Amino acid sequence: ELISEIAVKGFELLKKKLEETITLYPKKYLKQFQESGIAYVEFATENEELFRVMYGNKIKHHSKHERLKSIGEESFKVLYSI
């Protein structure tokens, strides 16, 4: 489904942005967490429609789309790893 592939691309971009942000502050975990939060909000505001596709209700049953489920979990793990 095309809409789920668009969401996958969004999560890939978000994951990359978060990873890049974290690497700017090695061993400064509070700063990593703070800046990741800022990066997350920036991503949402700079990519408003894409963000709505990723987190909105346009895709029914995210868990049925294996790639989407996987990349969503991977992007969350970036934050969880801090």
Side-chain angles (χ1 to χ4, degrees):
E1 185 175 328
L2 180 59
I3 196 87
S4 65
E5 289 302 315
I6 292 169
V8 166
K9 184 63 175 170
F11 278 110
E12 289 171 346
L13 294 171
L14 176 59
K15 180 181 176 226
K16 181 179 178 189
K17 183 174 183 84
L18 294 173
E19 288 171 337
E20 289 171 351
T21 299
I22 288 170
T23 59
L24 295 174
Y25 306 98
K27 297 187 181 187
K28 295 182 180 178
Y29 306 111
L30 180 58
K31 188 72 172 169
Q32 288 177 0
F33 187 71
Q34 291 169 330
E35 293 300 319
S36 293
I38 292 168
Y40 185 89
V41 172
E42 285 176 349
F43 179 86
T45 57
E46 292 169 1
N47 303 281
E48 189 175 334
E49 292 299 320
L50 179 57
F51 195 80
R52 285 186 180 153
V53 169
M54 293 163 62
Y55 289 102
N57 61 0
K58 295 180 188 248
I59 301 171
K60 303 295 182 210
H61 311 290
H62 281 204
S63 62
K64 290 185 179 181
H65 302 272
E66 195 56 42
R67 280 190 60 198
L68 179 56
K69 181 181 171 187
S70 177
I71 191 64
E73 290 171 355
E74 287 176 33
S75 64
F76 175 74
K77 285 178 185 176
V78 173
L79 294 175
Y80 187 76
S81 70
I82 295 175

